[in-house]
Amino acid sequence: MRYPFWTADVFTDRAFAGNPLAVVGDASGLTTEQMQAIAHEFNLSETTFVLPPESKEQTFRLRIFTPAVELPFAGHPTVGTAFVLAAAGRIKLQGDMTRIVFGENVGPVRVDIRAVNGRPVSSQLTAAQTPEWGPVPPDSETLAVALGLDPTDVLDDERDQPASLSCGTPFLFVPLRSLDAVRRARINWEYWARTLNTRWTESVFLFSHETEAADATVHGRMFAPTFGIDEDPATGSAAAAFAGYLARREKLAGGSARWVIEQGIEMGRPSRMEVEADAAQGVLTAVRVAGPSVIISEGHLLL
């Protein structure tokens, strides 16, 4: 059997930046074990498998795998797959904006594809779940040791403190005092395994309010060793959950807010994620994550 695939760089408008993604355009007939093996073979942060819809509300069914596990939801695979399918003609564009729905393990995920002159240029997901707050994180000293930092590098004050949140995939968010601290972070793998392997999540998103780009809100890095991802260049599912943190920090009670996250710079793969949140009566009602993508390659798997 020949299974068509594409690779793309997501959350970037130029090749060899952003977060790489492999998209198997028609995975009908593949078993879960085969999908996991293919994701391991590509060895990118994620590989997606496009399947026929399971309900009339879905445009496609989408399954998402890291090299090690299947995920219920992930941002850059959702955004990137929508772009790839539109660029490949699998999604018929309807003017400047085309709306589709992926059926993912977390539920239905809406994606809006923006086009210019009949070509897709970016896509925006709306998270199926608004951010959920998780358990109390480890203390700052424990986190600092696990991240190869000094305890004074970790912020823990009225506005910024470590927190666990999820929009389907949980993350631990750790605010650091400076951009320099984010750059210096190095995982202490032995200590990490001893102290964090029983937590709600082992995926850690470090960030600073100091940024490289003048229009960015935060500078981030993400580590997820249990997913087979030592470091991720752009993490859309973390960006969606992070909206809950930023909304609480800024006391967003109503209306909308927008933030820009820069990530991947330390890896030589700069990425940019645009995050929006809507709130009413102090409660988040919607979270969106957007960015451009670039197709890098296409071919066939021969199985």
Side-chain angles (χ1 to χ4, degrees):
M1 294 290 293
R2 295 168 60 89
Y3 293 90
F5 75 85
W6 294 262
T7 66
D9 290 337
V10 184
F11 292 125
T12 180
D13 58 3
R14 62 182 176 88
F16 312 124
N19 200 349
L21 172 73
V23 178
V24 178
D26 183 359
S28 301
L30 291 176
T31 66
T32 297
E33 292 73 20
Q34 287 176 309
M35 293 181 192
Q36 186 64 77
I38 291 167
H40 188 268
E41 181 77 8
F42 276 118
N43 200 34
L44 301 177
S45 294
E46 282 99 0
T47 298
T48 60
F49 297 86
V50 182
L51 296 160
E54 295 179 336
S55 69
K56 63 181 181 180
E57 291 79 17
Q58 297 178 5
T59 311
F60 294 100
R61 169 82 166 101
L62 191 67
R63 297 182 69 180
I64 303 169
F65 290 77
T66 76
V69 298
E70 183 173 8
L71 298 178
F73 165 69
H76 109 271
T78 300
V79 166
T81 299
F83 178 92
V84 166
L85 293 177
R90 295 284 308 280
I91 295 171
K92 185 178 179 181
L93 295 174
Q94 302 170 349
D96 294 340
M97 193 69 70
T98 302
R99 178 165 294 176
I100 66 167
V101 175
F102 285 134
E104 301 187 15
N105 289 353
V106 76
V109 179
R110 190 185 85 196
V111 186
D112 294 317
I113 305 165
R114 187 170 69 88
V116 175
N117 297 325
R119 292 179 174 272
V121 294
S122 66
S123 40
Q124 180 187 68
L125 69 84
T126 299
Q129 301 176 6
T130 53
E132 169 197 3
W133 289 76
V136 175
D139 60 79
S140 296
E141 184 172 351
T142 298
L143 290 172
V145 174
L147 299 169
L149 297 171
D150 188 273
T152 59
D153 288 322
V154 179
L155 287 176
D156 192 354
D157 55 33
E158 183 178 349
R159 297 197 70 191
D160 285 296
Q161 58 280 138
S164 303
L165 293 98
S166 173
C167 277
T169 301
F171 293 89
L172 172 60
F173 295 92
V174 182
L176 300 182
R177 192 168 302 280
S178 64
L179 182 59
D180 176 67
V182 176
R183 290 170 174 158
R184 286 188 283 109
R186 299 290 185 273
I187 298 293
N188 181 332
W189 295 112
E190 182 180 352
Y191 186 81
W192 181 292
R194 292 202 315 267
T195 59
L196 296 180
N197 62 2
T198 59
R199 296 287 176 171
W200 185 54
T201 178
E202 297 173 52
S203 301
V204 178
F205 187 92
L206 313 178
F207 69 94
S208 166
H209 297 292
E210 292 183 0
T211 62
E212 294 198 9
D215 64 341
T217 310
V218 296
H219 180 101
R221 298 177 70 185
M222 201 286 285
F223 303 93
T226 55
F227 290 166
I229 304 169
D230 287 348
E231 184 171 356
D232 199 33
T235 316
S237 52
F242 194 36
Y245 182 102
L246 293 171
R248 178 175 290 188
R249 182 181 190 271
E250 298 181 11
K251 297 180 172 59
L252 180 67
S256 300
R258 177 182 178 274
W259 306 279
V260 174
I261 300 172
E262 61 182 26
Q263 189 180 335
I265 294 172
E266 288 77 10
M267 303 176 66
R269 300 195 65 95
S271 308
R272 177 185 172 94
M273 296 176 284
E274 299 177 5
V275 184
E276 297 176 351
D278 301 334
Q281 298 180 338
V283 176
L284 286 190
T285 58
V287 170
R288 296 174 294 276
V289 181
S293 300
V294 179
I295 292 182
I296 299 298
S297 69
E298 61 178 309
H300 290 84
L301 297 170
L302 306 177
L303 300 176

